């Protein structure tokens, strides 16, 4: 909802605004949906001028239909697929992380979400030489672990340090900080300031549930509203600037069936286009394992329920295990 | 700039302002007809003004409150940071050198396995002078179960001082001997700040007020909450409220750990999860709590020997 102000479009002067406001028209929507003849009479403004302003406002603010073929061409030229650093995970995601979409990683504590995020950051920064924005809300970002991963992938120390410099880490510990960090990113990208951001193609957020959980539930419903605002912000960023957005989410235990389900509820489940559940294999206390099982819980491209094994210890090649499809979410 | 007012942390009553279409953050007039009290309106104005000033410093190139840096800078920071050693080499090894600063470490275990002992040990170890490999910090100990025993801390502190004295004698260096003058039993005990919280409200209040305390005592490098589960486990009917409070608590602790460069240690109890064929011991407070800690240590007994493994992190 945009407020009318002088200079919003040619022909919209300050006195016009004052007169309009006096008759209760404040926003663009009010203006465009009202009867212009009526206004012309009430505010004693020229009907022609009002029509001209309305035309310009409509052109500026309304959405125009495009046809599917054009959309497809646009998508083909602007979408990139980013490797996650783990070939088995790439196969699960139908070659990797698609820009323009939100991908979600969920899992219980210790299932390896942060490790996979670090792996993705390492792979994009080192392999594609592109910038990564990492929003850390849990304090779990460990630069030394990231460095280990880079060392395993590249021999040259210069390369490793350059890769580290391309990853920008922002620590946001509550929802407002996260929203303002995302807004700052949006401002920078829309002004196309290349120097600080560089060719940014991916934003990793670890985790969204940590900042949203304290707001949900209870008598106030603002929590849900803010969560949806975050959802809208992420989807717009992904689509407008062709970014791949990766978020991590917790899981909660369903009391009736005692199975794991993703946190943040049904409203959030519409936000990511792809959802991957990370689980650890049955490990006893004697043997520590870096093996995890990733299953596809939601996807618009692959059948849900397929599983692969992911090794979060080192980003090495893992075989795709043809597992039996389990129940999707 | 059309920063929507709804992005700012204002109380719900103030959102009534949205209805009258006050969108531009800079021009927020305070109006009594909306039905909020004068105090709330003044508070709202302050928040907005702060935000606008924050914007100004940010655009002027100041770092403001955004904690932004590249991974390379973080790596350098991490490598320069010390650890708080536990004096048990096996434990230090599994932790990667000791308890990390700026992270939350959770210690889980059955009763009697030694969680409070470890916390007391760490409250002493954090004070070890830098020349002996310590971080020379002070400690905050928040006790919810009342299991803090001063006489045991005296024993631990005395042993620690003796250990450092031995090192100084064998190496005979100037700084070692000088540091020992200030590193005594009295100074150790006087730099452990003890808080006793009897229920969850006191605990929440204490944690939310801690940043003010820490800004006055900037040498604190360790915050221990002994018994995070205890106040939340019994008599809590509203489980969603519990989840909300715990998550808010976790975020607050993360902020404290990060902004004050301190290690935060939490101890947690164990509970039984009854599965289909067997039951297992798992850390209490449910699935949603597990994400608070960066490093989770789970202690258990096996034939009168204590074992520990990493639940997550590291």
């Amino acid at each position: 909802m945009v407020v009318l102000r002088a200079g919003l479009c040619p022909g919209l002067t300050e006195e016009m605004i004052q007169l309009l406001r006096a008759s209760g028209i404040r926003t663009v929507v009010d203006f465009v949906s009202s009867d212009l003849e009526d206004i012309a009479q009430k505010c004693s403004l020229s009907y022609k001028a009002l029509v001209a302003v309305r035309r310009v406002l409509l052109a500026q603010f309304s959405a125009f239909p495009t046809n599917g073929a054009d959309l497809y061409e646009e998508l083909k030229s602007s979408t990139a697929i980013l490797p996650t650093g783990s070939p088995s995970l790439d196969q699960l995601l139908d070659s990797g992380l698609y820009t323009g979409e939100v991908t979600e990683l969920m899992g219980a504590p210790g299932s390896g979400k942060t490790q996979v995020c670090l792996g993705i950051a390492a792979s994009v920064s080192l392999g594609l030489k592109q910038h990564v924005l990492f929003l850390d809300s849990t304090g779990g970002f460990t630069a030394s672990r990231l460095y280990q991963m880079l060392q395993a992938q590249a021999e040259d120390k210069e390369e490793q340090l350059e890769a580290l410099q391309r990853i920008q880490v922002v620590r946001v510990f509550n929802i407002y900080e996260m929203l303002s960090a995302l807004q700052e990113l949006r401002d920078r990208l829309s002004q196309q300031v290349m120097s600080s951001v560089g060719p940014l193609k991916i934003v990793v957020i670890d985790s969204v549930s940590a900042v949203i959980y304290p707001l949900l539930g209870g008598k106030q419903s603002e929590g849900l509203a803010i969560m949806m605002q975050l959802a809208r912000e992420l989807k717009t960023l992904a689509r407008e600037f062709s970014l791949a957005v990766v978020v991590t989410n917790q899981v909660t235990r369903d009391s009736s069936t005692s199975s794991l389900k993703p946190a943040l509820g049904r409203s959030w489940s519409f936000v990511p286009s792809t959802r991957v559940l990370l689980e650890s294999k049955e490990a006893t206390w004697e043997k520590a394992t870096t093996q995890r099982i990733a299953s596809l819980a939601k996807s618009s491209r692959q059948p849900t329920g397929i599983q692969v094994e992911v090794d979060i210890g080192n980003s090495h090649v893992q075989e795709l295990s043809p597992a039996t499809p389990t129940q999707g979410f | 700039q059309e920063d929507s007012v709804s992005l700012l942390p204002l109380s719900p009553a103030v959102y009534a302002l949205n209805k009258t279409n006050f969108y531009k953050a800079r021009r927020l007039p305070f109006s009594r007809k909306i039905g909020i009290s004068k105090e709330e309106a003044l508070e709202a104005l302050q928040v907005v003004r702060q935000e606008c000033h924050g914007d100004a410093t940010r655009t002027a190139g100041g770092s403001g409150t955004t904690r932004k840096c590249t991974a390379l800078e973080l790596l350098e920071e991490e490598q320069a940071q010390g650890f708080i050693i536990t004096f048990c080499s096996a434990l230090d090894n599994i932790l990667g050198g000791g308890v990390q600063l700026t992270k939350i470490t959770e210690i889980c275990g059955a009763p009697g396995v030694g969680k409070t002992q470890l916390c007391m040990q760490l409250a002493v170890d954090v004070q070890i002078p830098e020349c002996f490999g310590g971080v020379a910090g002070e400690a905050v100990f928040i006790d919810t179960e009342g299991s803090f025993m001063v006489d045991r801390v005296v024993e631990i502190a005395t042993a620690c001082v003796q250990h450092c004295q031995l090192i100084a004698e064998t190496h005979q260096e100037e700084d070692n001997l000088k540091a020992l003058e200030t590193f005594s039993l009295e100074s150790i005990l006087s730099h452990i700040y003890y808080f006793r919280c009897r229920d969850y409200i006191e605990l929440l209040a204490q944690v939310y007020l801690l940043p003010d305390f820490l800004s006055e005592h900037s040498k604190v490098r360790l915050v221990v909450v002994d018994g995070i589960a205890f106040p939340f486990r019994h008599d809590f009917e509203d489980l969603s409220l519990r989840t909300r409070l715990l998550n808010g608590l976790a975020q607050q602790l993360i902020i404290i750990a990060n902004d004050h460069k301190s290690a935060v240690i939490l101890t947690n109890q164990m509970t039984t999860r009854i599965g289909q064929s067997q039951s297992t011991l798992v850390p209490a407070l449910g699935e949603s709590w597990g994400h608070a800690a960066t490093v989770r240590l789970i202690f258990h007994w096996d034939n009168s020997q204590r074992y520990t493994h990493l639940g997550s992190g590291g």
Side-chain angles (χ1 to χ4, degrees), chain B residues 4-74:
Chain B
S4 172
V5 171
S6 57
L7 276 187
L8 302 170
L10 300 171
S11 77
V14 180
Y15 281 116
L17 285 169
N18 261 342
K19 294 206 183 109
T20 44
N21 295 339
F22 289 121
Y23 287 100
K24 258 213 171 149
R26 274 184 193 83
R27 288 195 244 128
L28 186 69
F30 122 64
S31 169
R32 215 165 288 164
K33 16 180 204 180
I34 302 180
I36 52 177
S37 71
K38 196 168 169 191
E39 287 79 33
E40 281 185 309
L42 277 174
E43 221 185 273
L45 269 176
Q46 262 188 334
V47 172
V48 175
R49 224 174 264 136
Q50 243 178 6
E51 194 59 34
C52 294
H53 279 198
D55 269 345
T57 50
R58 246 178 275 158
T59 49
S63 57
T65 50
T66 47
R67 308 168 181 92
K68 242 195 310 186
C69 46
T70 63
L72 186 60
E73 290 163 20
L74 272 183

Side-chain angles (χ1 to χ4, degrees), chain A residues 25-217:
Chain A
I25 296 187
R26 284 203 181 81
T27 65
V28 173
V29 179
D30 293 338
F31 184 85
V32 162
S33 52
S34 50
D35 184 1
L36 288 185
E37 277 191 22
D38 209 31
I39 303 184
Q41 266 186 342
K42 261 203 284 184
C43 310
S44 53
L45 289 166
S46 136
Y47 181 71
K48 267 198 186 164
L50 288 175
V51 168
V53 170
R54 183 210 258 185
R55 208 179 315 136
V56 178
L57 285 178
L58 277 176
Q60 259 187 320
F61 290 101
S62 59
F64 285 99
T66 50
N67 78 52
D70 290 341
L71 210 57
Y72 180 57
E73 286 304 313
E74 202 194 303
L75 217 61
K76 268 203 309 187
S77 58
S78 61
T79 311
I81 306 179
L82 307 172
T84 59
S86 156
S88 53
L89 192 58
D90 283 342
Q91 250 171 324
L92 190 71
L93 293 170
D94 192 22
S95 343
L97 298 163
Y98 281 62
T99 58
E101 291 183 5
V102 178
T103 309
E104 181 176 293
L105 294 168
M106 48 185 181
S111 55
K113 307 184 289 296
T114 310
Q115 297 296 308
V116 174
C117 288
L118 290 178
I120 293 175
S123 144
V124 171
S125 174
L126 194 62
L128 298 178
K129 301 220 177 339
Q130 296 207 335
H131 286 220
V132 178
L133 178 64
F134 199 107
L135 291 182
D136 181 21
S137 69
T138 60
F141 182 89
T142 318
S144 2
R145 176 75 188 114
L146 181 64
Y147 191 45
Q148 264 182 358
M149 288 182 173
L150 288 171
Q151 281 173 323
Q153 288 181 37
E155 298 285 317
D156 182 23
K157 188 151 183 195
E158 266 299 307
E159 264 191 66
Q160 294 162 5
L161 294 179
E162 270 177 20
L164 278 176
Q165 272 184 318
R166 284 190 281 263
I167 301 173
Q168 195 175 60
V169 181
V170 185
R171 294 200 149 119
V172 287
F173 297 127
N174 66 45
I175 185 70
Y176 300 105
E177 285 177 15
M178 186 179 278
L179 284 171
S180 51
L182 289 173
Q183 188 135 65
E184 218 185 288
L185 174 67
R186 205 211 278 212
D187 290 340
R188 281 195 308 195
L189 286 175
S190 50
Q191 288 165 22
Q192 287 177 330
V193 176
M194 292 289 277
S195 52
S196 48
V197 178
L200 186 72
K201 277 263 161 259
I202 185 164
V203 177
V204 182
I205 304 182
D206 180 25
S207 71
V208 285
S209 41
V211 292
I212 297 184
Y213 242 120
L215 305 168
L216 288 182

